[in-house]
Amino acid sequence: QVQLVESGGGLVQAGGSLRLSCAASGRTFSSYAMGWFRQAPGKERKFVATINWSGDSTYYADSVKGRFTISRDNSKNTVYLQMNSLEPEGTAVYYCAAARGALATMSIKGYDYWGQGTQVTVSS
């Protein structure tokens, strides 16, 4: 069982930056691939970024490529999402998720545990 708690959301102007954190419980954090997803009001939850167990393999949605960076610190059981050049279209609840196994995955169905989410609002 893994529990995930996101933090770092808030209100930011377009063009600004935020860094989200996701703290995981348990001693097997390094055996999970991790991902970030987001869900805008009235829309489906969508993939944002994923990272494998060691942090040397990452994938991004085309909409955030070059602006967002996912990273992890296995010694702190934490995964991060650095978001730069934020756009109003990025307004959503951002969720952290953990997938059993070491390989990064972009599929929402591949994730076994989810956090409660953190709100990110980007004003124009």
Side-chain angles (χ1 to χ4, degrees), residues 2-41:
V2 175
Q3 292 185 326
L4 305 172
V5 179
E6 302 96 335
S7 63
L11 174 64
V12 64
Q13 287 188 333
S17 298
L18 281 175
R19 188 175 84 152
L20 305 183
S21 299
C22 173
S25 65
R27 290 177 283 183
T28 58
F29 176 73
S30 61
S31 66
Y32 288 85
M34 300 297 295
W36 286 97
F37 291 77
R38 65 187 180 187
Q39 187 167 17

PDB file of all heavy atoms in Angstrom, residues 2-41:
ATOM      1  N   VAL A   2       0.539   2.190  -0.855  1.00  0.00           N
ATOM      2  CA  VAL A   2       1.272   3.443  -0.945  1.00  0.00           C
ATOM      3  C   VAL A   2       0.284   4.586  -0.790  1.00  0.00           C
ATOM      4  O   VAL A   2      -0.765   4.606  -1.435  1.00  0.00           O
ATOM      5  CB  VAL A   2       1.993   3.568  -2.305  1.00  0.00           C
ATOM      6  CG1 VAL A   2       2.657   4.937  -2.422  1.00  0.00           C
ATOM      7  CG2 VAL A   2       3.020   2.456  -2.470  1.00  0.00           C
ATOM      8  N   GLN A   3       0.615   5.521   0.067  1.00  0.00           N
ATOM      9  CA  GLN A   3      -0.199   6.730   0.202  1.00  0.00           C
ATOM     10  C   GLN A   3       0.572   7.905  -0.365  1.00  0.00           C
ATOM     11  O   GLN A   3       1.768   8.058  -0.091  1.00  0.00           O
ATOM     12  CB  GLN A   3      -0.559   6.966   1.668  1.00  0.00           C
ATOM     13  CG  GLN A   3      -1.514   5.897   2.209  1.00  0.00           C
ATOM     14  CD  GLN A   3      -1.965   6.188   3.624  1.00  0.00           C
ATOM     15  OE1 GLN A   3      -1.216   6.727   4.429  1.00  0.00           O
ATOM     16  NE2 GLN A   3      -3.203   5.819   3.927  1.00  0.00           N
ATOM     17  N   LEU A   4      -0.117   8.730  -1.130  1.00  0.00           N
ATOM     18  CA  LEU A   4       0.509   9.845  -1.820  1.00  0.00           C
ATOM     19  C   LEU A   4      -0.143  11.153  -1.396  1.00  0.00           C
ATOM     20  O   LEU A   4      -1.381  11.247  -1.361  1.00  0.00           O
ATOM     21  CB  LEU A   4       0.370   9.670  -3.334  1.00  0.00           C
ATOM     22  CG  LEU A   4       0.907   8.348  -3.907  1.00  0.00           C
ATOM     23  CD1 LEU A   4       0.530   8.216  -5.369  1.00  0.00           C
ATOM     24  CD2 LEU A   4       2.414   8.258  -3.726  1.00  0.00           C
ATOM     25  N   VAL A   5       0.674  12.152  -1.108  1.00  0.00           N
ATOM     26  CA  VAL A   5       0.161  13.458  -0.708  1.00  0.00           C
ATOM     27  C   VAL A   5       0.843  14.531  -1.544  1.00  0.00           C
ATOM     28  O   VAL A   5       2.064  14.721  -1.443  1.00  0.00           O
ATOM     29  CB  VAL A   5       0.396  13.716   0.786  1.00  0.00           C
ATOM     30  CG1 VAL A   5      -0.130  15.106   1.164  1.00  0.00           C
ATOM     31  CG2 VAL A   5      -0.278  12.642   1.636  1.00  0.00           C
ATOM     32  N   GLU A   6       0.041  15.235  -2.340  1.00  0.00           N
ATOM     33  CA  GLU A   6       0.575  16.304  -3.178  1.00  0.00           C
ATOM     34  C   GLU A   6       0.565  17.628  -2.431  1.00  0.00           C
ATOM     35  O   GLU A   6      -0.261  17.850  -1.541  1.00  0.00           O
ATOM     36  CB  GLU A   6      -0.265  16.472  -4.457  1.00  0.00           C
ATOM     37  CG  GLU A   6      -0.374  15.243  -5.329  1.00  0.00           C
ATOM     38  CD  GLU A   6      -1.627  14.435  -5.068  1.00  0.00           C
ATOM     39  OE1 GLU A   6      -2.169  14.528  -3.937  1.00  0.00           O
ATOM     40  OE2 GLU A   6      -2.077  13.713  -5.974  1.00  0.00           O
ATOM     41  N   SER A   7       1.477  18.506  -2.831  1.00  0.00           N
ATOM     42  CA  SER A   7       1.518  19.856  -2.294  1.00  0.00           C
ATOM     43  C   SER A   7       2.157  20.768  -3.323  1.00  0.00           C
ATOM     44  O   SER A   7       2.758  20.303  -4.296  1.00  0.00           O
ATOM     45  CB  SER A   7       2.290  19.905  -0.975  1.00  0.00           C
ATOM     46  OG  SER A   7       3.635  19.524  -1.185  1.00  0.00           O
ATOM     47  N   GLY A   8       2.021  22.079  -3.094  1.00  0.00           N
ATOM     48  CA  GLY A   8       2.684  23.038  -3.962  1.00  0.00           C
ATOM     49  C   GLY A   8       1.789  23.736  -4.963  1.00  0.00           C
ATOM     50  O   GLY A   8       2.243  24.622  -5.693  1.00  0.00           O
ATOM     51  N   GLY A   9       0.525  23.351  -5.008  1.00  0.00           N
ATOM     52  CA  GLY A   9      -0.386  24.027  -5.921  1.00  0.00           C
ATOM     53  C   GLY A   9      -0.695  25.436  -5.451  1.00  0.00           C
ATOM     54  O   GLY A   9      -0.312  25.850  -4.353  1.00  0.00           O
ATOM     55  N   GLY A  10      -1.394  26.178  -6.308  1.00  0.00           N
ATOM     56  CA  GLY A  10      -1.773  27.535  -5.943  1.00  0.00           C
ATOM     57  C   GLY A  10      -2.171  28.339  -7.155  1.00  0.00           C
ATOM     58  O   GLY A  10      -2.418  27.799  -8.234  1.00  0.00           O
ATOM     59  N   LEU A  11      -2.220  29.645  -6.951  1.00  0.00           N
ATOM     60  CA  LEU A  11      -2.597  30.592  -8.010  1.00  0.00           C
ATOM     61  C   LEU A  11      -1.335  31.256  -8.539  1.00  0.00           C
ATOM     62  O   LEU A  11      -0.513  31.754  -7.751  1.00  0.00           O
ATOM     63  CB  LEU A  11      -3.558  31.633  -7.446  1.00  0.00           C
ATOM     64  CG  LEU A  11      -3.943  32.789  -8.367  1.00  0.00           C
ATOM     65  CD1 LEU A  11      -4.712  32.277  -9.576  1.00  0.00           C
ATOM     66  CD2 LEU A  11      -4.766  33.818  -7.591  1.00  0.00           C
ATOM     67  N   VAL A  12      -1.199  31.271  -9.850  1.00  0.00           N
ATOM     68  CA  VAL A  12      -0.022  31.879 -10.470  1.00  0.00           C
ATOM     69  C   VAL A  12      -0.454  32.570 -11.757  1.00  0.00           C
ATOM     70  O   VAL A  12      -1.424  32.158 -12.401  1.00  0.00           O
ATOM     71  CB  VAL A  12       1.055  30.802 -10.747  1.00  0.00           C
ATOM     72  CG1 VAL A  12       0.572  29.773 -11.747  1.00  0.00           C
ATOM     73  CG2 VAL A  12       2.369  31.420 -11.175  1.00  0.00           C
ATOM     74  N   GLN A  13       0.250  33.618 -12.109  1.00  0.00           N
ATOM     75  CA  GLN A  13      -0.043  34.314 -13.356  1.00  0.00           C
ATOM     76  C   GLN A  13       0.541  33.539 -14.539  1.00  0.00           C
ATOM     77  O   GLN A  13       1.545  32.817 -14.389  1.00  0.00           O
ATOM     78  CB  GLN A  13       0.534  35.720 -13.331  1.00  0.00           C
ATOM     79  CG  GLN A  13      -0.223  36.673 -12.415  1.00  0.00           C
ATOM     80  CD  GLN A  13       0.261  38.108 -12.554  1.00  0.00           C
ATOM     81  OE1 GLN A  13       1.401  38.359 -12.904  1.00  0.00           O
ATOM     82  NE2 GLN A  13      -0.626  39.059 -12.270  1.00  0.00           N
ATOM     83  N   ALA A  14      -0.053  33.723 -15.688  1.00  0.00           N
ATOM     84  CA  ALA A  14       0.469  33.107 -16.904  1.00  0.00           C
ATOM     85  C   ALA A  14       1.928  33.511 -17.094  1.00  0.00           C
ATOM     86  O   ALA A  14       2.306  34.671 -16.885  1.00  0.00           O
ATOM     87  CB  ALA A  14      -0.356  33.537 -18.104  1.00  0.00           C
ATOM     88  N   GLY A  15       2.743  32.522 -17.460  1.00  0.00           N
ATOM     89  CA  GLY A  15       4.172  32.755 -17.599  1.00  0.00           C
ATOM     90  C   GLY A  15       4.971  32.445 -16.353  1.00  0.00           C
ATOM     91  O   GLY A  15       6.204  32.388 -16.392  1.00  0.00           O
ATOM     92  N   GLY A  16       4.266  32.244 -15.246  1.00  0.00           N
ATOM     93  CA  GLY A  16       4.934  31.967 -13.979  1.00  0.00           C
ATOM     94  C   GLY A  16       5.288  30.507 -13.810  1.00  0.00           C
ATOM     95  O   GLY A  16       5.097  29.682 -14.713  1.00  0.00           O
ATOM     96  N   SER A  17       5.808  30.185 -12.621  1.00  0.00           N
ATOM     97  CA  SER A  17       6.277  28.827 -12.325  1.00  0.00           C
ATOM     98  C   SER A  17       5.726  28.344 -10.992  1.00  0.00           C
ATOM     99  O   SER A  17       5.447  29.142 -10.098  1.00  0.00           O
ATOM    100  CB  SER A  17       7.808  28.800 -12.256  1.00  0.00           C
ATOM    101  OG  SER A  17       8.386  29.171 -13.488  1.00  0.00           O
ATOM    102  N   LEU A  18       5.590  27.035 -10.899  1.00  0.00           N
ATOM    103  CA  LEU A  18       5.254  26.368  -9.652  1.00  0.00           C
ATOM    104  C   LEU A  18       6.009  25.049  -9.609  1.00  0.00           C
ATOM    105  O   LEU A  18       6.296  24.458 -10.657  1.00  0.00           O
ATOM    106  CB  LEU A  18       3.754  26.066  -9.566  1.00  0.00           C
ATOM    107  CG  LEU A  18       2.783  27.176  -9.183  1.00  0.00           C
ATOM    108  CD1 LEU A  18       1.352  26.661  -9.274  1.00  0.00           C
ATOM    109  CD2 LEU A  18       3.069  27.709  -7.793  1.00  0.00           C
ATOM    110  N   ARG A  19       6.294  24.577  -8.394  1.00  0.00           N
ATOM    111  CA  ARG A  19       6.849  23.242  -8.248  1.00  0.00           C
ATOM    112  C   ARG A  19       5.933  22.425  -7.356  1.00  0.00           C
ATOM    113  O   ARG A  19       5.707  22.788  -6.199  1.00  0.00           O
ATOM    114  CB  ARG A  19       8.254  23.264  -7.653  1.00  0.00           C
ATOM    115  CG  ARG A  19       8.891  21.867  -7.689  1.00  0.00           C
ATOM    116  CD  ARG A  19      10.319  21.842  -7.229  1.00  0.00           C
ATOM    117  NE  ARG A  19      10.453  21.757  -5.796  1.00  0.00           N
ATOM    118  CZ  ARG A  19      11.489  21.204  -5.165  1.00  0.00           C
ATOM    119  NH1 ARG A  19      12.472  20.674  -5.876  1.00  0.00           N
ATOM    120  NH2 ARG A  19      11.546  21.201  -3.849  1.00  0.00           N
ATOM    121  N   LEU A  20       5.416  21.358  -7.910  1.00  0.00           N
ATOM    122  CA  LEU A  20       4.584  20.438  -7.153  1.00  0.00           C
ATOM    123  C   LEU A  20       5.447  19.350  -6.540  1.00  0.00           C
ATOM    124  O   LEU A  20       6.437  18.924  -7.143  1.00  0.00           O
ATOM    125  CB  LEU A  20       3.521  19.802  -8.048  1.00  0.00           C
ATOM    126  CG  LEU A  20       2.621  20.757  -8.813  1.00  0.00           C
ATOM    127  CD1 LEU A  20       1.566  19.954  -9.603  1.00  0.00           C
ATOM    128  CD2 LEU A  20       1.958  21.762  -7.903  1.00  0.00           C
ATOM    129  N   SER A  21       5.057  18.901  -5.360  1.00  0.00           N
ATOM    130  CA  SER A  21       5.724  17.790  -4.693  1.00  0.00           C
ATOM    131  C   SER A  21       4.698  16.712  -4.379  1.00  0.00           C
ATOM    132  O   SER A  21       3.523  17.011  -4.149  1.00  0.00           O
ATOM    133  CB  SER A  21       6.378  18.253  -3.394  1.00  0.00           C
ATOM    134  OG  SER A  21       7.360  19.237  -3.626  1.00  0.00           O
ATOM    135  N   CYS A  22       5.164  15.488  -4.339  1.00  0.00           N
ATOM    136  CA  CYS A  22       4.305  14.363  -3.981  1.00  0.00           C
ATOM    137  C   CYS A  22       5.103  13.473  -3.044  1.00  0.00           C
ATOM    138  O   CYS A  22       6.088  12.852  -3.454  1.00  0.00           O
ATOM    139  CB  CYS A  22       3.867  13.601  -5.213  1.00  0.00           C
ATOM    140  SG  CYS A  22       2.968  12.073  -4.867  1.00  0.00           S
ATOM    141  N   ALA A  23       4.681  13.425  -1.793  1.00  0.00           N
ATOM    142  CA  ALA A  23       5.352  12.607  -0.792  1.00  0.00           C
ATOM    143  C   ALA A  23       4.652  11.266  -0.675  1.00  0.00           C
ATOM    144  O   ALA A  23       3.421  11.206  -0.548  1.00  0.00           O
ATOM    145  CB  ALA A  23       5.344  13.330   0.555  1.00  0.00           C
ATOM    146  N   ALA A  24       5.441  10.201  -0.705  1.00  0.00           N
ATOM    147  CA  ALA A  24       4.893   8.854  -0.657  1.00  0.00           C
ATOM    148  C   ALA A  24       5.253   8.163   0.652  1.00  0.00           C
ATOM    149  O   ALA A  24       6.359   8.350   1.174  1.00  0.00           O
ATOM    150  CB  ALA A  24       5.428   8.032  -1.825  1.00  0.00           C
ATOM    151  N   SER A  25       4.316   7.397   1.150  1.00  0.00           N
ATOM    152  CA  SER A  25       4.597   6.595   2.339  1.00  0.00           C
ATOM    153  C   SER A  25       5.165   5.251   1.908  1.00  0.00           C
ATOM    154  O   SER A  25       5.103   4.887   0.737  1.00  0.00           O
ATOM    155  CB  SER A  25       3.306   6.373   3.132  1.00  0.00           C
ATOM    156  OG  SER A  25       2.411   5.591   2.349  1.00  0.00           O
ATOM    157  N   GLY A  26       5.715   4.520   2.860  1.00  0.00           N
ATOM    158  CA  GLY A  26       6.184   3.183   2.545  1.00  0.00           C
ATOM    159  C   GLY A  26       7.664   3.134   2.227  1.00  0.00           C
ATOM    160  O   GLY A  26       8.272   4.138   1.871  1.00  0.00           O
ATOM    161  N   ARG A  27       8.219   1.909   2.363  1.00  0.00           N
ATOM    162  CA  ARG A  27       9.644   1.740   2.162  1.00  0.00           C
ATOM    163  C   ARG A  27      10.003   1.204   0.787  1.00  0.00           C
ATOM    164  O   ARG A  27      11.165   0.924   0.519  1.00  0.00           O
ATOM    165  CB  ARG A  27      10.186   0.772   3.224  1.00  0.00           C
ATOM    166  CG  ARG A  27      10.181   1.367   4.619  1.00  0.00           C
ATOM    167  CD  ARG A  27      10.661   0.372   5.650  1.00  0.00           C
ATOM    168  NE  ARG A  27       9.629  -0.612   5.965  1.00  0.00           N
ATOM    169  CZ  ARG A  27       9.770  -1.561   6.869  1.00  0.00           C
ATOM    170  NH1 ARG A  27      10.910  -1.694   7.513  1.00  0.00           N
ATOM    171  NH2 ARG A  27       8.791  -2.417   7.111  1.00  0.00           N
ATOM    172  N   THR A  28       9.001   1.098  -0.095  1.00  0.00           N
ATOM    173  CA  THR A  28       9.255   0.541  -1.415  1.00  0.00           C
ATOM    174  C   THR A  28       9.068   1.571  -2.521  1.00  0.00           C
ATOM    175  O   THR A  28       8.824   1.224  -3.666  1.00  0.00           O
ATOM    176  CB  THR A  28       8.313  -0.641  -1.672  1.00  0.00           C
ATOM    177  OG1 THR A  28       6.955  -0.199  -1.564  1.00  0.00           O
ATOM    178  CG2 THR A  28       8.574  -1.756  -0.674  1.00  0.00           C
ATOM    179  N   PHE A  29       9.195   2.835  -2.177  1.00  0.00           N
ATOM    180  CA  PHE A  29       8.968   3.917  -3.142  1.00  0.00           C
ATOM    181  C   PHE A  29       9.808   3.729  -4.390  1.00  0.00           C
ATOM    182  O   PHE A  29       9.343   3.943  -5.506  1.00  0.00           O
ATOM    183  CB  PHE A  29       9.286   5.264  -2.478  1.00  0.00           C
ATOM    184  CG  PHE A  29       9.176   6.439  -3.419  1.00  0.00           C
ATOM    185  CD1 PHE A  29       7.938   6.890  -3.832  1.00  0.00           C
ATOM    186  CD2 PHE A  29      10.315   7.107  -3.855  1.00  0.00           C
ATOM    187  CE1 PHE A  29       7.825   7.976  -4.686  1.00  0.00           C
ATOM    188  CE2 PHE A  29      10.227   8.188  -4.702  1.00  0.00           C
ATOM    189  CZ  PHE A  29       8.977   8.631  -5.113  1.00  0.00           C
ATOM    190  N   SER A  30      11.045   3.311  -4.236  1.00  0.00           N
ATOM    191  CA  SER A  30      11.944   3.208  -5.383  1.00  0.00           C
ATOM    192  C   SER A  30      11.554   2.080  -6.340  1.00  0.00           C
ATOM    193  O   SER A  30      12.099   1.984  -7.435  1.00  0.00           O
ATOM    194  CB  SER A  30      13.384   3.010  -4.919  1.00  0.00           C
ATOM    195  OG  SER A  30      13.495   1.821  -4.177  1.00  0.00           O
ATOM    196  N   SER A  31      10.624   1.241  -5.953  1.00  0.00           N
ATOM    197  CA  SER A  31      10.191   0.170  -6.845  1.00  0.00           C
ATOM    198  C   SER A  31       9.010   0.584  -7.716  1.00  0.00           C
ATOM    199  O   SER A  31       8.540  -0.209  -8.542  1.00  0.00           O
ATOM    200  CB  SER A  31       9.813  -1.077  -6.044  1.00  0.00           C
ATOM    201  OG  SER A  31       8.666  -0.833  -5.238  1.00  0.00           O
ATOM    202  N   TYR A  32       8.536   1.814  -7.557  1.00  0.00           N
ATOM    203  CA  TYR A  32       7.388   2.309  -8.308  1.00  0.00           C
ATOM    204  C   TYR A  32       7.824   3.323  -9.358  1.00  0.00           C
ATOM    205  O   TYR A  32       8.640   4.205  -9.077  1.00  0.00           O
ATOM    206  CB  TYR A  32       6.384   2.992  -7.384  1.00  0.00           C
ATOM    207  CG  TYR A  32       5.625   2.042  -6.492  1.00  0.00           C
ATOM    208  CD1 TYR A  32       6.169   1.618  -5.281  1.00  0.00           C
ATOM    209  CD2 TYR A  32       4.373   1.570  -6.848  1.00  0.00           C
ATOM    210  CE1 TYR A  32       5.481   0.742  -4.468  1.00  0.00           C
ATOM    211  CE2 TYR A  32       3.674   0.695  -6.037  1.00  0.00           C
ATOM    212  CZ  TYR A  32       4.239   0.296  -4.844  1.00  0.00           C
ATOM    213  OH  TYR A  32       3.555  -0.568  -4.036  1.00  0.00           O
ATOM    214  N   ALA A  33       7.239   3.231 -10.527  1.00  0.00           N
ATOM    215  CA  ALA A  33       7.275   4.337 -11.462  1.00  0.00           C
ATOM    216  C   ALA A  33       6.253   5.355 -10.970  1.00  0.00           C
ATOM    217  O   ALA A  33       5.246   4.996 -10.348  1.00  0.00           O
ATOM    218  CB  ALA A  33       6.930   3.877 -12.871  1.00  0.00           C
ATOM    219  N   MET A  34       6.490   6.629 -11.255  1.00  0.00           N
ATOM    220  CA  MET A  34       5.616   7.686 -10.767  1.00  0.00           C
ATOM    221  C   MET A  34       5.130   8.541 -11.935  1.00  0.00           C
ATOM    222  O   MET A  34       5.825   8.682 -12.945  1.00  0.00           O
ATOM    223  CB  MET A  34       6.344   8.565  -9.764  1.00  0.00           C
ATOM    224  CG  MET A  34       6.856   7.832  -8.527  1.00  0.00           C
ATOM    225  SD  MET A  34       5.533   7.120  -7.540  1.00  0.00           S
ATOM    226  CE  MET A  34       4.695   8.612  -6.994  1.00  0.00           C
ATOM    227  N   GLY A  35       3.960   9.116 -11.746  1.00  0.00           N
ATOM    228  CA  GLY A  35       3.423   9.956 -12.801  1.00  0.00           C
ATOM    229  C   GLY A  35       2.638  11.130 -12.265  1.00  0.00           C
ATOM    230  O   GLY A  35       2.223  11.128 -11.103  1.00  0.00           O
ATOM    231  N   TRP A  36       2.478  12.101 -13.107  1.00  0.00           N
ATOM    232  CA  TRP A  36       1.616  13.255 -12.818  1.00  0.00           C
ATOM    233  C   TRP A  36       0.530  13.318 -13.901  1.00  0.00           C
ATOM    234  O   TRP A  36       0.814  13.160 -15.097  1.00  0.00           O
ATOM    235  CB  TRP A  36       2.398  14.562 -12.825  1.00  0.00           C
ATOM    236  CG  TRP A  36       3.268  14.772 -11.629  1.00  0.00           C
ATOM    237  CD1 TRP A  36       4.598  14.509 -11.525  1.00  0.00           C
ATOM    238  CD2 TRP A  36       2.867  15.304 -10.368  1.00  0.00           C
ATOM    239  NE1 TRP A  36       5.055  14.833 -10.272  1.00  0.00           N
ATOM    240  CE2 TRP A  36       4.010  15.330  -9.545  1.00  0.00           C
ATOM    241  CE3 TRP A  36       1.662  15.774  -9.842  1.00  0.00           C
ATOM    242  CZ2 TRP A  36       3.983  15.801  -8.228  1.00  0.00           C
ATOM    243  CZ3 TRP A  36       1.624  16.239  -8.541  1.00  0.00           C
ATOM    244  CH2 TRP A  36       2.775  16.251  -7.746  1.00  0.00           C
ATOM    245  N   PHE A  37      -0.673  13.561 -13.453  1.00  0.00           N
ATOM    246  CA  PHE A  37      -1.821  13.733 -14.338  1.00  0.00           C
ATOM    247  C   PHE A  37      -2.545  15.015 -13.925  1.00  0.00           C
ATOM    248  O   PHE A  37      -2.325  15.521 -12.819  1.00  0.00           O
ATOM    249  CB  PHE A  37      -2.776  12.536 -14.215  1.00  0.00           C
ATOM    250  CG  PHE A  37      -2.210  11.261 -14.770  1.00  0.00           C
ATOM    251  CD1 PHE A  37      -1.265  10.541 -14.058  1.00  0.00           C
ATOM    252  CD2 PHE A  37      -2.618  10.778 -16.001  1.00  0.00           C
ATOM    253  CE1 PHE A  37      -0.720   9.362 -14.571  1.00  0.00           C
ATOM    254  CE2 PHE A  37      -2.098   9.602 -16.518  1.00  0.00           C
ATOM    255  CZ  PHE A  37      -1.147   8.899 -15.804  1.00  0.00           C
ATOM    256  N   ARG A  38      -3.401  15.510 -14.797  1.00  0.00           N
ATOM    257  CA  ARG A  38      -4.189  16.679 -14.441  1.00  0.00           C
ATOM    258  C   ARG A  38      -5.594  16.550 -14.994  1.00  0.00           C
ATOM    259  O   ARG A  38      -5.814  15.903 -16.020  1.00  0.00           O
ATOM    260  CB  ARG A  38      -3.533  17.970 -14.928  1.00  0.00           C
ATOM    261  CG  ARG A  38      -3.427  18.131 -16.434  1.00  0.00           C
ATOM    262  CD  ARG A  38      -2.614  19.377 -16.769  1.00  0.00           C
ATOM    263  NE  ARG A  38      -2.484  19.573 -18.214  1.00  0.00           N
ATOM    264  CZ  ARG A  38      -1.710  20.509 -18.768  1.00  0.00           C
ATOM    265  NH1 ARG A  38      -1.016  21.334 -18.008  1.00  0.00           N
ATOM    266  NH2 ARG A  38      -1.660  20.620 -20.083  1.00  0.00           N
ATOM    267  N   GLN A  39      -6.514  17.184 -14.279  1.00  0.00           N
ATOM    268  CA  GLN A  39      -7.915  17.133 -14.669  1.00  0.00           C
ATOM    269  C   GLN A  39      -8.516  18.521 -14.558  1.00  0.00           C
ATOM    270  O   GLN A  39      -8.618  19.068 -13.447  1.00  0.00           O
ATOM    271  CB  GLN A  39      -8.682  16.144 -13.800  1.00  0.00           C
ATOM    272  CG  GLN A  39     -10.108  15.905 -14.249  1.00  0.00           C
ATOM    273  CD  GLN A  39     -10.734  14.703 -13.558  1.00  0.00           C
ATOM    274  OE1 GLN A  39     -10.251  14.227 -12.536  1.00  0.00           O
ATOM    275  NE2 GLN A  39     -11.817  14.198 -14.132  1.00  0.00           N
ATOM    276  N   ALA A  40      -8.892  19.068 -15.705  1.00  0.00           N
ATOM    277  CA  ALA A  40      -9.556  20.372 -15.742  1.00  0.00           C
ATOM    278  C   ALA A  40     -11.051  20.168 -15.489  1.00  0.00           C
ATOM    279  O   ALA A  40     -11.574  19.076 -15.695  1.00  0.00           O
ATOM    280  CB  ALA A  40      -9.329  21.032 -17.095  1.00  0.00           C
ATOM    281  N   PRO A  41     -11.737  21.218 -15.058  1.00  0.00           N
ATOM    282  CA  PRO A  41     -13.171  21.099 -14.763  1.00  0.00           C
ATOM    283  C   PRO A  41     -13.946  20.582 -15.966  1.00  0.00           C
ATOM    284  O   PRO A  41     -13.811  21.101 -17.080  1.00  0.00           O
ATOM    285  CB  PRO A  41     -13.572  22.535 -14.420  1.00  0.00           C
ATOM    286  CG  PRO A  41     -12.326  23.170 -13.933  1.00  0.00           C
ATOM    287  CD  PRO A  41     -11.216  22.560 -14.729  1.00  0.00           C
TER     288      PRO A  41
END
